[in-house]
Amino acid sequence: MKVPVRITVNGRRFEHEVEPRLLLAHYIRDLGGLTGTKVGCDTSQCGSCTVLIDGVSAKSCTTLAVQADGANVTTIEGLADGDALHPLQESFWDRHGLQCGFCTPGMILAAYELLRTNASPSDAEIRHGLEGNLCRCTGYQNIVRAVRDAAAQMAAADQ
Amino acid sequence: MFAADFDYYRAGSVAEAGQLLAQHPGAKLLAGGHSLIPLLKLRLAVPPALIDIGRVAELRDIALEGGGLRIGALATHAEIARSDAVREHAAALAEAAGQIGDPAVRNRGTIGGNVAHADPASDLPAVLVALGATLAVTGQGGERSIDAGDFFTGVMMTSLGEDELLTSVRIPSAAGRGTAYVKFSHPASRYAVIGVAASVALDAGPGESVCTDASVAIGGLVPGPVRCSAVEEALKGRAPSGEALAAAAAAVAQDLGGDLLGDVFASADYRGAVAPVYVERAIAAAAGRATQA
């Protein structure tokens, strides 16, 4: 069985016929050609596959493409405004919030979710908010600094 | 990992979901998919078809009704955790829902899927048992209501019929009582190694408050949630502090018996030894909130 799905990814509308078992992560990577979204543990624990579905964070390795039919999906490639990086992307760069970079797309989208629900989190709240995303390189210190900086920049930009 | 092939049908209403279930024997219901999709990917479940109820709007509401809560099966853990009504009338449930998995998991996972899946390491079953919840289900034989205590029958086993759909969870208001959920979570998966839910009522008389009623349930280390009647009895008539609290918590050994679950992360002996610590924390937290009420 194949099922028609229409999914808007980063503002671009896609239409495909897919097998119901196709995961959203593979839809984005293989049919959307957007390889920023990573599949890490494939068991919804590591968070590298995190994307936004209608603005809310989700693990795309544990979501079927058919479940996202009609939805607006945002991946790491959709966060920047043209050539201007999102403040989270800038601050991960400035603060060295990554080493190998594999967890970074999911980490930034999880941080985006955190700041959507809590605009000025404490360090403890940042750590708690990122509990679903594993980084095996950095030890998290610079990730927390990056999110803290981004929150401050975004708050300043809002004023 | 790829699931085995399956057919896919999307239901627009509860009635349509029921018809699809009747038409497709062996089909599984899909809501948020956070319990089912991992099983499909591991091919521990190989259903011929999925019936997607994720867009059935009538299953989404959280409402106050007749002095209690009615929580639609599709309410997500995130929605439950931040619901003012749930926090006021069933604080332990909001507390448990807020500790499931991580934020992205809580955005997608639903109470109905969680409960119908009946994973022994899940958080919500023990809470629903301790809070005296009932589960509303509908199927070919009509609607019925199942006490949470009778719903969970074993590891990933429930009394839900093949053709039945869980529509909502009803919880009597715990306003005036103190309720709490305390868990020892696995550090990577956040599943409960041990989870304890407690609901405690205290008398309002002068002097030290005495426990007039307690309802305690434990999960994580047992096939399905276990009501801790020995703990409850030991608490009643006692002030919930100091030695009385520790003695009541120690009684959980009688409730658990000897047949505990263990795995590579935590052996059965270890879980049994740690259980009283979490029981004590849960009843102390619940009693603390009852005092404030």
Side-chain angles (χ1 to χ4, degrees):
Chain A
M1 180 189 245
K2 286 209 168 185
V3 178
V5 293
R6 292 176 177 179
I7 302 176
T8 302
V9 185
N10 303 331
R12 186 176 157 204
R13 194 166 152 177
F14 292 91
E15 290 192 32
H16 292 97
E17 298 242 319
V18 303
E19 288 187 37
R21 62 177 171 168
L22 182 69
L23 298 171
L24 181 61
H26 296 301
Y27 179 91
I28 291 166
R29 290 176 57 85
D30 299 343
L31 300 182
L34 295 163
T35 54
T37 303
K38 308 300 184 206
V39 176
C41 72
D42 214 355
T43 56
S44 69
Q45 297 184 48
C46 82
S48 345
C49 67
T50 305
V51 299
L52 307 178
I53 301 178
D54 292 329
V56 175
S57 71
K59 293 191 168 177
S60 62
C61 86
T62 308
T63 306
L64 300 172
V66 288
Q67 289 179 287
D69 184 21
N72 278 300
V73 173
T74 306
T75 70
I76 189 68
E77 293 94 337
L79 220 49
D81 181 9
D83 289 336
L85 293 180
H86 187 276
L88 275 164
Q89 293 172 304
E90 282 285 357
S91 59
F92 267 68
W93 184 349
D94 290 342
R95 285 294 189 172
H96 301 287
L98 60 141
Q99 287 179 31
C100 86
F102 192 88
C103 74
T104 311
M107 195 67 78
I108 286 180
L109 288 165
Y112 183 97
E113 168 83 6
L114 170 67
L115 299 184
R116 180 180 72 82
T117 53
N118 179 358
S120 58
S122 66
D123 281 10
E125 287 168 334
I126 292 171
R127 289 173 188 279
H128 190 62
L130 299 179
E131 69 180 332
N133 293 73
L134 303 182
C135 170
R136 301 290 79 173
C137 301
T138 62
Y140 302 99
Q141 303 292 347
N142 287 345
I143 292 174
V144 174
R145 289 185 186 113
V147 176
R148 195 169 56 201
D149 276 14
Q153 285 168 33
M154 289 162 72
D158 277 349
Q159 283 169 2
Chain B
M1 290 183 285
F2 294 89
D5 203 14
F6 51 79
D7 289 341
Y8 172 84
Y9 304 96
R10 190 176 291 157
S13 65
V14 170
E16 196 183 347
Q19 289 160 12
L20 286 164
L21 266 179
Q23 285 164 18
H24 300 283
K28 288 286 171 201
L29 294 167
L30 172 70
H34 274 51
S35 298
L36 180 59
I37 292 172
L39 285 187
L40 296 174
K41 289 168 71 177
L42 293 166
R43 303 202 178 194
L44 292 171
V46 189
L50 295 192
I51 296 161
D52 187 352
I53 56 168
R55 295 164 200 241
V56 179
E58 62 193 289
L59 296 178
R60 182 125 261 157
D61 277 1
I62 298 174
L64 274 173
E65 200 176 84
L69 286 165
R70 179 174 52 78
I71 301 174
L74 289 183
T76 65
H77 307 314
E79 288 164 350
I80 291 167
R82 65 171 177 255
S83 159
D84 289 336
V86 178
R87 289 154 78 111
E88 183 181 347
H89 296 276
L93 178 63
E95 194 166 36
Q99 293 180 63
I100 292 173
D102 56 63
V105 167
R106 295 194 286 273
N107 284 339
R108 303 283 303 171
T110 66
I111 188 170
N114 178 295
V115 169
H117 184 64
D119 192 315
S122 172
D123 297 287
L124 303 186
V127 180
L128 298 188
V129 170
L131 296 184
T134 54
L135 306 166
V137 308
T138 182
Q140 296 297 302
E143 294 183 19
R144 65 184 179 122
S145 181
I146 308 171
D147 285 342
D150 297 328
F151 184 80
F152 302 99
T153 55
V155 174
M156 295 183 179
M157 305 264 285
T158 70
S159 52
L160 202 57
E162 278 279 307
D163 68 329
E164 284 183 318
L165 173 106
L166 173 62
T167 53
S168 68
V169 177
R170 317 282 172 114
I171 302 175
S173 174
R177 299 171 69 101
T179 73
Y181 178 72
V182 178
K183 86 191 268 197
F184 174 6
S185 64
H186 182 276
S189 69
R190 307 287 177 201
Y191 272 116
V193 174
I194 297 167
V196 183
S199 171
V200 173
L202 301 178
D203 70 359
E208 196 172 25
S209 294
V210 168
C211 172
T212 53
D213 185 61
S215 175
V216 180
I218 188 165
L221 71 175
V222 275
V226 167
R227 180 82 185 260
C228 303
S229 47
V231 174
E232 295 167 4
E233 283 308 313
L235 263 181
K236 279 178 201 165
R238 309 291 301 273
S241 60
E243 281 178 23
L245 200 59
V252 74
Q254 295 166 50
D255 292 312
L256 288 170
D259 202 14
L260 303 181
L261 301 177
D263 60 22
V264 292
F265 304 113
S267 69
D269 283 351
Y270 175 72
R271 291 179 199 227
V274 177
V277 176
Y278 283 81
V279 172
E280 185 170 343
R281 288 178 190 175
I283 53 184
R289 290 172 188 173
T291 312
Q292 294 155 13

